[in-house]
Amino acid sequence: MQYQIQTLPIWDAYKTQDGCPLCAIFNDREKRIVGQYLAENVMDPDFRSASNSIGFCPDHIRQMYAGQNKLGLALQLETRAAQMAKLINKAPVDKKSAKKTAAMIEDHRGCVICNALAEPMERYYMTIAAMYANESEFPELFREAHHCLKHTAKLYDAAAYAGKSVKEYLSDLTAGIQRDLKRTESEMRAFADCFDFRNSGTKPDAQAIPRAIGVLITDKL
Ligand SMILES: [Zn+2]
Ligand SMILES: [Zn+2]
């Protein structure tokens, strides 16, 4: 049953996405979790103690700030500030204890939303590799998919779960990223060539750079 629950969003993403299907799954879950941190999690003691202790990364605090619950956000930032003030409560006495204080602060700088996303995403990578081996229609979708660089790495990492099909899985994954990197390279070349005086009049493709960034870095600009 767990496998079934996991495979549904994967089928959906691989059937409907132009871009990276795993980025689509990630974005979907992320949106839901950011929403929870602006709604039901605001007053939940467990969630609050986690966010007080490690906070939010720049990307996720920007998403929360762009959301509709400034009061909820302020309450979380208030108790986060209080907790950190308690931890940084006296001046370090020497260089060594300054290093310790620095390390202690770093230990408390993370992101509850990134953490909440990490575990389910790992399960998706494993499930995808297992689906490649077990679902007869999946390898074709997998071959056609445009996995971004980050998710290509995650899928390499999960290769063991492709079991008996591991060789084909790795060969398809590699062919896919090769195809998309080559396309990116030639699209960026074509874009740059538009600025060459000999090609005056050729209009650059406005979507080419966002597409390249989508493959190489992020699909959220
Ligand atoms: Zn991706
Ligand atoms: Zn984060």
Side-chain angles (χ1 to χ4, degrees), residues 29-204:
R29 287 197 81 108
E30 182 187 47
K31 217 159 129 199
R32 225 172 330 141
I33 297 176
V34 169
Q36 284 166 358
Y37 271 93
L38 288 173
E40 61 264 35
N41 294 3
V42 173
M43 290 306 169
D44 185 298
D46 289 342
F47 286 104
R48 279 298 281 280
S49 105
S51 66
N52 290 344
S53 176
I54 66 164
F56 300 97
C57 72
D59 195 19
H60 287 134
I61 200 68
R62 269 195 291 269
Q63 290 178 38
M64 290 184 63
Y65 184 62
Q68 294 301 313
N69 188 358
K70 297 286 188 285
L71 168 62
L73 181 56
L75 294 174
Q76 292 178 81
L77 294 173
E78 177 197 10
T79 47
R80 164 81 172 142
Q83 171 136 354
M84 291 314 290
K86 223 185 281 168
L87 287 171
I88 313 168
N89 60 355
K90 55 178 191 299
V93 290
D94 53 24
K95 282 188 288 187
K96 206 174 147 206
S97 64
K99 290 261 184 218
K100 264 181 134 169
T101 302
M104 181 276 294
I105 294 173
E106 284 310 317
D107 281 348
H108 286 274
R109 271 173 22 86
C111 179
V112 279
I113 294 176
C114 284
N115 288 359
L117 283 161
E119 200 257 341
M121 287 310 294
E122 287 302 324
R123 262 187 285 125
Y124 281 118
Y125 309 139
M126 296 177 212
T127 307
I128 288 168
M131 283 170 75
Y132 186 97
N134 299 320
E135 308 279 341
S136 60
E137 284 163 37
F138 190 69
E140 192 184 337
L141 289 171
F142 185 84
R143 271 191 290 280
E144 286 165 4
H146 301 286
H147 301 117
C148 71
L149 201 55
K150 169 184 161 181
H151 287 127
T152 298
K154 300 288 188 187
L155 292 171
Y156 276 125
D157 208 40
Y161 295 88
K164 59 181 178 6
S165 307
V166 67
K167 251 185 120 167
E168 294 87 346
Y169 170 87
L170 289 173
S171 144
D172 282 348
L173 183 59
T174 307
I177 191 69
Q178 278 275 352
R179 174 199 63 211
D180 292 340
L181 289 172
K182 290 279 174 213
R183 189 200 65 207
T184 300
E185 197 184 342
S186 71
E187 285 190 353
M188 291 304 93
R189 174 50 31 217
F191 189 96
D193 282 347
C194 293
F195 293 84
D196 189 318
F197 71 95
R198 285 164 299 194
N199 297 325
S200 64
T202 317
K203 254 179 92 127

